[in-house]
Amino acid sequence: MNAIELHERITENKDWATLLFVLCLGIVTVNKSISWARFSDFIRLGYSDKYNKIYRDSGNLKDSFTVSMFFLQLISFSFFIVLVLQQFKAQEKNMLILYIQVFTFLSVFVLSKFLLEKIIATAFKIEEFNEQFNLLKVNYRTYLSLLLLPINIILYYNPIQSTTFFWLLIIVLFALNVVTYIIALKLYQNLLIRKIFYFILYLCTLEIAPYYFIYNWFTKN
């Protein structure tokens, strides 16, 4: 009689992901409770520019609402990147370890880019545009991350084995990101015309080159 060989069944702990999702929902709940009117304007950002008109002052970039929602943005986008990497078999390691690596890289990249933008904007004398442009980008990307959050939850607990679906999501996110740039350029077109040369340098240096290098690094590794 053949001996029966038992193998330990290893299941990945999903508590860390649940805690992250609860944290995100907590951030949304607190902001909605404390700043109900502002949050109401924010969730209509997809079809109304009222929020951008009311909270266009650069000081809003550092207030508690924007900072907390920016933290939610990092959590949501990092989680989506991890799901994409797992879907395309780019990484086979434990998802928690991979998530920490992605979250750390994304946080360092965004904050470093933000500081570098301030330095270059000061050198190009386009500080006003840079601050308002950054605020606009943060607002729209946070809005996208909020829409992406329930998708992350569904995909994590109910995996969809379809690369086509993920490619569609990536294309939609990229297209929406391009739309935010177009909206920003339209809003500040008068300022840009006066400083078009500096803006072109700014755009090539900080809005195109970093993403090109990241894409190049991912495709080679």
Side-chain angles (χ1 to χ4, degrees), residues 118-157:
K118 290 186 71 68
I119 295 173
I120 294 180
T122 302
F124 291 166
K125 298 180 181 180
I126 52 173
E127 300 97 322
E128 179 186 355
F129 166 76
N130 177 65
E131 291 178 352
Q132 294 186 4
F133 187 57
N134 271 324
L135 180 60
L136 201 68
K137 287 192 299 182
V138 169
N139 290 340
Y140 278 109
R141 287 176 181 173
T142 300
Y143 183 77
L144 290 178
S145 69
L146 191 60
L147 296 179
L148 193 61
L149 184 61
I151 297 175
N152 287 335
I153 296 174
I154 294 172
L155 291 178
Y156 183 71
Y157 292 107

Side-chain angles (χ1 to χ4, degrees), residues 23-73:
L23 176 60
C24 290
L25 294 177
I27 291 173
V28 172
T29 303
V30 170
N31 283 329
K32 184 178 179 180
S33 301
I34 296 176
S35 308
W36 182 85
R38 181 172 182 175
F39 187 82
S40 297
D41 291 332
F42 176 76
I43 60 176
R44 291 195 291 267
L45 195 58
Y47 56 88
S48 171
D49 61 349
K50 181 181 177 182
Y51 182 86
N52 288 326
K53 290 179 178 179
I54 296 176
Y55 304 99
R56 64 181 301 169
D57 185 82
S58 58
N60 290 300
L61 191 61
K62 300 177 182 178
D63 65 17
S64 58
F65 184 92
T66 304
V67 172
S68 60
M69 295 299 285
F70 172 72
F71 184 63
L72 183 148
Q73 176 191 149

Side-chain angles (χ1 to χ4, degrees), residues 124 126 191-205:
F124 291 166
I126 52 173
L191 178 63
L192 292 178
I193 290 173
R194 298 198 305 268
K195 298 180 181 292
I196 187 66
F197 174 72
Y198 296 114
F199 174 71
I200 292 173
L201 290 176
Y202 169 88
L203 188 67
C204 294
T205 305

